[in-house]
Amino acid sequence: MSPELFNVAAAGAKIAFVWGVVLAALLPMLIWAERRVAAFIQDRPGPNRVGPLGLFQSLADAIKFFMKEDVTPTYADRFLFNLAPWITLVPAITTFAIIPFGSSLPVTLGGQTYDVPLIIADVNVGVLYMFALTSIGIYGIVLAGYTSNDKFSLLGGIRSSAQIISYELAMGISAIGVFMTAGSLRLPEVVAYQQQHIWNVVPQILGAVIFIISAFAETNRLPFDLPEAEAELVAGYHTEYSAFKFAMFFMGEYANMVAASALIVTLYFGGWSLPGIAFTGVAGALLSIAVFAAKTGLFIFIFLWVRWTLPRFRYDQLMDLGWKVFLPLSVLNLLYVAILVAAGKA
Amino acid sequence: MADYIPVLFFAVMAAILPVAGLGIMALFRPSKPDPIKLSPYECGVEPTSEAWDHRFSVRYYLIAVLFVVFDVETIFVFPWAVMYQKLLLFGLIEMVIFLGILVIGYVYVWKRGALTWA
């Protein structure tokens, strides 16, 4: 087998793995987990009828989403209304392509050993690509809100865009510290740096806190779920969406949450690495995947935990926090890391 | 550019799967439109105007404009951050000057009340 052919096969296998794990297993599990965690926190049983422990609840939901009538309101802009769910879902899923989910897997084939890095696309712009995709995702929400021609949707869509762009600033500037220490935008190099030195969260705790809280705002999760604040806006930007198109927004939101957790882990908590352990060979590769999954799972749990614990922000508080607190703090963090790196080199 | 082929593949798959799902399931889905069902949701009250006729706070525009200014600055800092370990002191001084100018603008915007949501 030629190396080129092998690379194509390996890329295909990795894509199949990520799609299988993230979309076929993790997202349905997550929807079930959210409801079970909510029930646990509120001291009630939660979904427990469909299958063991209610595990097949998501399957039942999926069938229902498929079988329900798909309504497009009369006064909506039909083309953009139908396009909006795609603009939200596709970038949300595509972000998984650049996250390193493990070390590298040695594969011996025909007497030759190939080292397969466990990342689908090691693009040179790294996290910039991720920020770009998040920004494209906003268009889906804004278009959904605007083209529905519904007052609640319109307000939800506008709120969402203002919120996401506000927190994107703080998020981007706080993440810059990570690239200064690693000297690269590539996520595998960020992980490698943390493996050789120290997890970024230790010297850059301020940046990490800003990044994590901004990630909550970016994914429209409580306490920042103003775009769909059900007490005031019914369902926000997806009020008019039904059946499968609503499910696409729903899945996009959860995919964003998983991607944000994975990114937090990769940038600040050592990615797939653990201090003092060298991940070599096939066992090491599998272990690194398990470590990455465990860390990401922990952050996903924190997302769920926060949602069912904290009340919602008021919109002016949200904007004040983003522009008057996080933005100056993230710039301070940038200068602090710059001095730290300069002092370390001198 | 070869790095981006899997990304493109990823995006195309993400776009095609829902299309397939929607297409196949259209055979099973009911479709019984009626004027009430297709009207915009307003808590059961008949809408008297279109949402597009309504105005919303001008502050959203302000936030959008401020975002563009600060985001362009952020984009400039990214390449600087990557090269920082080679620039060091020169880079640090240069960035302090750059951020200083940015902070002057930021303080001005704050003092003018553009960041206050009221």
Side-chain angles (χ1 to χ4, degrees):
Chain A
M1 191 184 252
S2 70
E4 290 81 18
L5 194 62
F6 178 80
N7 281 340
V8 172
K14 284 186 284 187
I15 290 174
F17 174 76
V18 169
W19 273 76
V21 168
V22 172
L23 288 169
L26 196 63
L27 285 186
M29 269 289 285
L30 195 53
I31 293 163
W32 169 83
E34 166 124 80
R35 297 176 63 184
R36 288 295 285 200
V37 168
F40 176 71
I41 289 173
Q42 297 174 338
D43 197 17
R44 56 185 172 83
N48 62 356
R49 287 284 176 265
V50 194
L53 292 172
L55 261 171
F56 298 152
Q57 183 68 47
S58 300
L59 195 65
D61 287 348
I63 292 170
K64 197 169 175 180
F65 278 135
F66 274 123
M67 304 299 284
K68 285 280 177 184
E69 182 173 356
D70 189 35
V71 178
T72 306
T74 324
Y75 299 111
D77 181 321
R78 294 191 76 87
F79 175 68
L80 290 176
F81 181 84
N82 290 321
L83 185 68
W86 268 271
I87 303 181
T88 304
L89 183 66
V90 173
I93 292 176
T94 315
T95 47
F96 290 102
I98 63 145
I99 292 173
F101 54 92
S103 57
S104 57
L105 185 70
V107 178
T108 310
L109 212 77
Q112 205 171 354
T113 304
Y114 302 94
D115 221 19
V116 182
L118 290 179
I119 177 172
I120 287 169
D122 185 8
V123 297
N124 53 4
V125 294
V127 121
L128 221 48
Y129 160 91
M130 191 116 174
F131 286 139
L133 282 181
T134 322
S135 304
I136 294 174
I138 303 174
Y139 284 102
I141 292 175
V142 174
L143 277 180
Y146 177 73
T147 59
S148 295
N149 202 354
D150 176 304
K151 283 135 198 156
F152 298 115
S153 302
L154 184 65
L155 285 174
I158 293 165
R159 273 190 184 183
S160 178
S161 57
Q163 168 183 334
I164 293 177
I165 61 178
S166 298
Y167 280 84
E168 199 174 290
L169 284 178
M171 200 175 183
I173 297 176
S174 61
I176 286 171
V178 172
F179 308 118
M180 267 171 3
T181 51
S184 172
L185 287 172
R186 287 174 191 265
L187 290 177
E189 285 180 33
V190 172
V191 175
Y193 171 84
Q194 294 180 86
Q195 200 185 12
Q196 287 154 13
H197 298 83
I198 188 169
W199 288 5
N200 283 325
V201 67
V202 180
Q204 300 183 30
I205 179 75
L206 180 65
V209 168
I210 295 172
F211 192 88
I212 292 169
I213 297 177
S214 302
F216 276 84
E218 287 277 302
T219 48
N220 291 334
R221 292 284 298 187
L222 264 167
F224 305 111
D225 76 332
L226 275 301
E228 40 180 290
E230 67 268 17
E232 35 196 296
L233 290 183
V234 189
Y237 60 88
H238 54 56
T239 302
E240 294 295 339
Y241 284 87
S242 54
F244 192 65
K245 286 184 196 125
F246 167 73
M248 286 172 74
F249 280 116
F250 200 61
M251 275 163 57
E253 202 171 295
Y254 278 89
N256 270 330
M257 193 169 91
V258 178
S261 304
L263 193 61
I264 292 168
V265 167
T266 308
L267 292 183
Y268 290 102
F269 292 86
W272 45 262
S273 71
L274 277 180
I277 298 180
F279 293 91
T280 48
V282 177
L286 296 179
L287 183 66
S288 67
I289 295 177
V291 167
F292 184 72
K295 286 181 184 175
T296 308
L298 178 71
F299 275 95
I300 291 172
F301 175 72
I302 291 175
F303 267 88
L304 303 184
W305 185 11
V306 166
R307 167 161 183 191
W308 297 101
T309 310
L310 295 182
R312 184 178 295 129
F313 268 62
R314 223 169 53 207
Y315 203 75
D316 59 328
Q317 294 170 332
L318 172 93
M319 283 306 188
D320 276 1
L321 184 69
W323 284 94
K324 293 184 178 174
V325 180
F326 279 0
L327 190 59
L329 278 184
S330 61
V331 172
L332 270 185
N333 177 66
L334 177 69
L335 288 177
Y336 157 74
V337 178
I339 293 167
L340 206 68
V341 171
K345 288 273 172 185
Chain B
M1 285 313 282
D3 286 345
Y4 288 90
I5 292 170
V7 174
L8 190 69
F9 185 70
F10 225 74
V12 169
M13 251 170 70
I16 286 176
L17 279 189
V19 175
L22 268 178
I24 294 166
M25 285 303 160
L27 302 172
F28 303 102
R29 252 190 336 244
S31 178
K32 298 188 188 76
D34 75 66
I36 304 289
K37 194 191 279 175
L38 296 184
S39 69
Y41 179 81
E42 261 176 45
C43 311
V45 180
E46 270 185 57
T48 51
S49 60
E50 287 198 35
W52 294 333
D53 298 339
H54 284 259
R55 289 179 260 182
F56 52 84
S57 175
V58 71
R59 294 198 174 274
Y60 289 109
Y61 290 102
L62 207 55
I63 292 288
V65 171
L66 289 178
F67 166 75
V68 171
V69 174
F70 285 100
D71 203 42
V72 171
E73 316 287 357
T74 318
I75 294 301
F76 173 71
V77 183
F78 268 93
W80 169 83
V82 173
M83 297 309 293
Y84 181 64
Q85 299 193 6
K86 297 193 181 94
L87 302 170
L88 284 180
L89 194 62
F90 167 73
L92 184 61
I93 293 168
E94 188 248 15
M95 190 44 62
V96 167
I97 296 170
F98 178 76
L99 287 178
I101 297 169
L102 192 65
V103 165
I104 293 171
Y106 176 73
V107 171
Y108 172 75
V109 167
W110 190 334
K111 286 277 174 249
R112 289 294 298 243
L115 302 181
T116 310
W117 197 278

